[in-house]
Amino acid sequence: QVQLVESGGGLVQAGGSLRLSCTASGSIFSISAMGWYRQAPGKQRELVADITSGGRTNYADSVKGRFTISGDNARSTVTLQMNSLKPEDTAVYYCRGRAVVTTKGTYHVWGQGTQVTVSS
């Protein structure tokens, strides 16, 4: 069974920074990509940023220049550095593993979510 464990959420003032980390555990052979999504109250879940195993990154326009995603394939870990945070960044942030290849098959896997709150 594959699990994604997130850490690093919290409360910060506007203009501040937070760092989110996510580590996948289990009988994993490979992960095609890992990324971060977020969901604010009353809104749909949206992609924030993701990174492929080859290092290609993709960012939502709203976070470009402020957030940086990085990955460590050997440790099955992805990190999201969030700078210049705005109140509109407030949401539950979810880690996602895309095409996680395990001994029992290939799955898309979600973490449990971590709250990020940015006060004005």
Side-chain angles (χ1 to χ4, degrees), residues 30-120:
S30 65
I31 304 176
S32 176
M34 294 184 73
W36 291 92
Y37 290 69
R38 66 186 180 188
Q39 188 167 19
K43 294 188 176 182
Q44 289 189 331
R45 191 173 298 188
E46 62 176 2
L47 172 70
V48 176
D50 62 14
I51 182 168
T52 68
S53 58
R56 187 172 68 248
T57 59
N58 180 41
Y59 294 91
D61 288 342
S62 60
V63 307
K64 283 181 181 177
R66 300 188 297 123
F67 292 9
T68 302
I69 191 169
S70 59
D72 185 336
N73 292 335
R75 292 180 172 82
S76 298
T77 297
V78 63
T79 300
L80 184 69
Q81 178 66 42
M82 305 185 293
N83 298 328
S84 302
L85 282 161
K86 304 175 181 179
E88 51 262 44
D89 294 318
T90 296
V92 177
Y93 283 69
Y94 297 90
C95 179
R96 180 178 182 252
R98 174 158 52 96
V100 180
V101 180
T102 75
T103 56
K104 295 188 176 182
T106 301
Y107 307 94
H108 302 315
V109 184
W110 290 93
Q112 79 283 359
T114 185
Q115 177 70 46
V116 171
T117 303
V118 184
S119 63
S120 57

